Amino acid sequence: MLDFITMKKSFLIPIFALLILLLINSCQKQNDNDPTPTKTAKDSVPIAKAPADTAITLPVSSVTLSGSGTDATGHIIGYLWSQVSGPAEASILNESSAAATFKGLVAGTYKFQFEVIDNNGLTGLADVSVTVNPPPIVTLTLQPANNPGEVNVGIWNGADWSNHTSIEEPLSAWTKDNFPTVLRDFLKFDLSSIPANATIIKADLQLYSDTIPLNGDLVHANVGADNSVLIQQVATSWDPASLTWFNQPAGLTANQVTIPSTTQSFLNVDVDVKGLIAPMISSGANYGFKLQLKNEVEYTSRIFCSSYYSDATRHPKLVVQYIKN
């Protein structure tokens, strides 16, 4: 009996081993023919390709970006552009196309995302950066010699006492031979090179004291308890050749600028006249500046060098910074 049982067990062992091998082989064949893959090319996502990073400079405020997509096993059926970041929200035209236009951009760096969609509903993403540079600032420096748009108008003892080629700009209220005199100045620069739609960033008028004055007390350029000066935009057109005290145009009080009074005998000044220059440019009506003492009280003066002065570095200077739009 023991031998029979032993023989039976010995016979059954290889049978069981064979069955296990057959089962394993059957499973392998089934896996090889399984129509449902675990990770194949059919699962590959589409590849989105955005254009290279780019830059524009204001006043250009829009850009068109064109992307593309590829799919190894399917085909691209849709596109979508969106904004990821930036200094302000951009307006996107044709956002569902391969090429979209982004408008209303301001200075700064934007990041836009390009998305492609394939026929299996899978997506691919790519980013592109657009840098918007601020517009270039143009600097115009004007310091002409013998400026025909500069006239000193005056009155003495009730008569015209104007000088069209004076070497100084004497803004004064004084006396001559015991008769009262008052002197003012009209000053116009050629601004024709600045476009009418330009944005004025800065405008400075620089005036230089005459250290050897021919008016006032003949010693000091600045005299008087209140020798502050008004600078106004001239209201109407004027002819330098025929300008006198009696036909001088009025000055506009809007945006007028005051040069503060000083106790210094000589003082060069740098005056912010942006508020006067901007309307001259935008309106196309450049009639220049009118300069006079704020209080034309006798024995008061502020005397500056004119464009006829011998030292060209002391001529009136206007520096304008602007942006072309």
Side-chain angles (χ1 to χ4, degrees):
M1 176 65 70
L2 181 61
D3 292 338
F4 175 77
I5 294 174
T6 301
M7 291 175 62
K8 186 176 181 180
K9 286 182 178 180
S10 299
F11 178 76
L12 291 176
I13 288 173
I15 294 177
F16 287 137
L18 178 61
L19 290 173
I20 291 172
L21 289 173
L22 290 173
L23 180 61
I24 293 173
N25 184 59
S26 175
C27 291
Q28 287 178 339
K29 288 182 178 180
Q30 182 179 2
N31 287 339
D32 290 341
N33 298 321
D34 191 346
T36 305
T38 56
K39 186 69 175 178
T40 69
K42 292 183 180 179
D43 290 323
S44 63
V45 297
I47 299 174
K49 184 177 181 181
D53 294 344
T54 188
I56 60 174
T57 299
L58 294 171
V60 176
S61 61
S62 66
V63 64
T64 297
L65 302 175
S66 297
S68 62
T70 58
D71 195 319
T73 57
H75 56 275
I76 304 300
I77 62 171
Y79 307 93
L80 182 64
W81 284 96
S82 60
Q83 180 176 338
V84 177
S85 62
E89 184 177 357
S91 174
I92 307 177
L93 304 181
N94 301 319
E95 62 182 3
S96 299
S97 301
T101 299
F102 302 82
K103 304 184 72 175
L105 306 182
V106 299
T109 300
Y110 292 80
K111 179 179 283 188
F112 298 111
Q113 187 176 80
F114 178 58
E115 180 178 3
V116 296
I117 307 165
D118 70 6
N119 57 310
N120 294 315
L122 301 177
T123 61
L125 301 174
D127 291 338
V128 56
S129 293
V130 176
T131 300
V132 183
N133 298 310
I137 296 177
V138 180
T139 300
L140 175 65
T141 301
L142 301 170
Q143 195 176 23
N146 304 330
N147 183 1
E150 183 177 21
V151 177
N152 177 228
V153 297
I155 186 171
W156 172 54
N157 191 25
D160 182 63
W161 204 41
S162 300
N163 190 332
H164 294 241
T165 57
S166 172
I167 66 170
E168 61 185 19
E169 294 179 347
L171 311 176
S172 67
W174 215 266
T175 60
K176 174 178 169 56
D177 300 333
N178 297 319
F179 294 108
T181 67
V182 177
L183 298 172
R184 300 171 180 172
D185 200 74
F186 285 80
L187 180 60
K188 180 180 177 181
F189 292 90
D190 183 2
L191 305 176
S192 60
S193 64
I194 304 178
N197 65 343
T199 298
I200 304 302
I201 303 300
K202 187 178 181 182
D204 292 322
L205 178 63
Q206 300 172 16
L207 301 173
Y208 302 88
S209 280
D210 187 355
T211 56
I212 47 174
L214 302 178
N215 290 275
D217 67 2
L218 308 180
V219 177
H220 311 93
N222 308 323
V223 179
D226 179 10
N227 54 33
S228 55
V229 173
L230 285 180
I231 303 179
Q232 299 174 327
Q233 181 184 354
V234 180
T236 57
S237 179
W238 49 281
D239 180 6
S242 59
L243 186 65
T244 70
W245 176 268
F246 299 104
N247 65 8
Q248 62 177 297
L252 300 175
T253 57
N255 301 320
Q256 68 181 12
V257 179
T258 300
I259 301 175
S261 181
T262 181
T263 57
Q264 299 183 50
S265 297
F266 306 98
L267 179 65
N268 302 331
V269 296
D270 190 333
V271 188
D272 180 0
V273 292
K274 175 185 173 182
L276 301 177
I277 290 293
M280 292 182 191
I281 299 302
S282 61
S283 67
N286 172 22
Y287 303 135
F289 303 110
K290 182 177 183 178
L291 296 84
Q292 66 181 75
L293 291 172
K294 186 175 183 179
N295 297 297
E296 293 176 326
V297 178
E298 285 186 359
Y299 306 114
T300 304
S301 68
R302 288 292 281 274
I303 303 175
F304 300 102
C305 299
S306 80
S307 64
Y308 294 90
Y309 195 76
S310 58
D311 183 351
T313 65
R314 301 183 71 79
H315 293 170
K317 179 192 293 186
L318 179 65
V319 180
V320 182
Q321 293 184 331
Y322 64 93
I323 293 172
K324 294 180 179 180
N325 294 318

